[in-house]
């Protein structure tokens, strides 16, 4: 009989691949912060995950997923992705509310229902926040032709293509500002205090650096940058 993975374990493993994608060295203290659990709880969970063959720990306490652990994390990420798309494409739920709901529902998806969702939605589409199934590093996102809003050129038209979705408060904040998936934005001015003035369909808004680095945009089809050929890197 195959060993079933518990909800708690799924959360830990998915948190590890998400933290890796952001360039973090994953240690127990980071997991405690991300999952909002106590240090003793993390220590106990990490010990169990090691015993069950899902993770390995290095000399400095850095945690790495084993092949078994990565496969389990990928399955959870896929279910999360499918639930988000289901809530958006089939039920019309607002994009800024979907992530938190999917975090709860992803654990209740049976293999049979998961297969039906894949049959209906496919595995390749983007989620409502513009993200792929697996968390991507900034370098991977840039290879898709996207640029962080914090690095966007002034007086150039862009379209929001991808949002950092782990932070529900950020999603609500962006929604209140009128910044969301497929929304047109233009950087009007960069301010001395490291904020930027943006033009949106709802008017002019101010956005700080900490939020701007978590919004990814692509040049709109009519902008100069969209028509400039990409420079090939020298080998």
């Amino acid at each position: 009989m195959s060993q079933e993975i518990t909800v708690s374990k799924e959360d830990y493993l998915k948190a590890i691949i998400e933290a890796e994608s952001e360039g973090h060295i994953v240690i127990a203290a980071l997991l405690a912060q991300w999952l909002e659990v106590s240090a003793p709880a993390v220590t106990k969970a990490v010990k169990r995950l090691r015993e069950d063959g899902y993770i390995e720990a290095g000399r400095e306490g850095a945690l790495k997923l084993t092949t078994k652990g990565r496969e389990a994390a990928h399955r959870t990420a896929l279910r999360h992705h499918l639930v988000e798309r289901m809530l958006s494409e089939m039920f019309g739920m607002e994009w800024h509310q979907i992530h938190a709901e999917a975090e709860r529902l992803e654990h209740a998806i049976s293999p049979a229902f998961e297969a039906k969702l894949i049959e209906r939605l496919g595995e390749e589409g983007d989620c409502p926040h513009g993200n792929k199934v697996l968390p991507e590093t900034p370098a991977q996102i840039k290879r898709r032709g996207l640029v962080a809003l914090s690095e966007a050129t002034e007086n150039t038209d862009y379209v929001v293509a991808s949002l950092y979705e782990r932070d529900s408060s950020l999603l609500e904040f962006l929604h209140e500002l009128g910044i969301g998936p497929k929304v047109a934005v233009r950087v009007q001015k960069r301010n001395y205090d490291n904020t930027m003035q943006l033009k949106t369909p709802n008017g002019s808004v101010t956005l700080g650096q900490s939020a701007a680095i978590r919004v990814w945009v692509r040049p709109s089809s009519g902008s100069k940058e969209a028509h400039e050929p990409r420079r090939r890197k020298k080998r």
Side-chain angles (χ1 to χ4, degrees):
M1 181 181 293
S2 63
Q3 181 186 28
E4 293 187 357
I5 183 169
T6 66
V7 170
S8 176
K9 286 181 181 177
E10 289 179 341
D11 288 334
Y12 277 95
L13 299 177
K14 186 155 72 76
I16 291 174
I17 62 168
E18 290 173 342
E20 287 177 344
S21 73
E22 295 185 26
H24 295 291
I25 296 174
V26 184
I27 59 175
L30 179 67
L31 292 177
Q33 178 185 350
W34 275 40
L35 297 173
E36 299 181 345
V37 294
S38 68
V42 173
T43 300
K44 182 178 179 180
V46 166
K47 181 176 182 292
R48 183 65 184 272
L49 287 169
R50 289 180 64 185
E51 291 174 349
D52 291 344
Y54 289 105
I55 64 173
E56 296 173 338
R59 292 181 179 179
E60 304 298 325
L63 305 175
K64 299 285 185 180
L65 293 171
T66 62
T67 299
K68 177 182 177 181
R70 196 164 296 278
E71 289 174 352
H74 287 187
R75 287 196 301 272
T76 304
L78 174 60
R79 289 200 302 271
H80 179 91
H81 184 85
L82 290 169
V83 171
E84 286 196 330
R85 291 188 59 198
M86 175 188 72
L87 293 173
S88 174
E89 298 174 31
M90 298 171 64
F91 294 99
M93 193 170 185
E94 293 286 343
W95 64 267
H96 60 284
Q97 300 172 330
I98 284 174
H99 179 77
E101 195 66 37
E103 287 285 287
R104 292 185 284 270
L105 293 176
E106 66 190 32
H107 304 295
I109 298 296
S110 68
F113 188 42
E114 178 182 333
K116 286 295 183 182
L117 288 176
I118 293 173
E119 180 182 324
R120 176 71 177 271
L121 302 171
E123 294 185 59
E124 301 302 322
D126 292 347
C127 80
H129 310 100
N131 299 321
K132 303 298 182 184
V133 173
L134 296 177
E136 295 179 291
T137 65
Q140 289 173 320
I141 297 174
K142 288 179 179 179
R143 283 198 289 270
R144 288 205 272 144
L146 308 187
V147 60
L149 182 56
S150 58
E151 301 173 2
T153 305
E154 287 188 23
N155 299 315
T156 300
D157 294 317
Y158 294 91
V159 175
V160 176
S162 176
L163 300 169
Y164 180 81
E165 62 180 277
R166 278 199 70 256
D167 188 342
S168 296
S169 296
L170 171 66
L171 297 180
E172 289 289 348
F173 174 69
L174 294 173
H175 172 67
E176 291 173 2
L177 290 180
I179 299 173
K182 300 180 181 179
V183 170
V185 295
R186 170 183 280 246
V187 180
Q188 295 177 308
K189 180 184 178 184
R190 295 182 182 278
N191 301 315
Y192 179 77
D193 62 357
N194 220 22
T195 61
M196 55 173 55
Q197 201 74 19
L198 300 175
K199 179 183 178 183
T200 75
N202 292 343
S204 182
V205 299
T206 301
L207 193 67
Q209 182 80 359
S210 61
I213 61 175
R214 296 187 169 187
V215 178
W216 292 85
V217 297
R218 63 166 46 94
S220 64
S221 57
S223 70
K224 179 180 177 182
E225 288 192 6
H227 297 285
E228 289 181 346
R230 295 184 189 175
R231 295 180 180 177
R232 292 185 179 180
K233 294 182 178 179
K234 295 182 180 180
R235 294 184 178 179

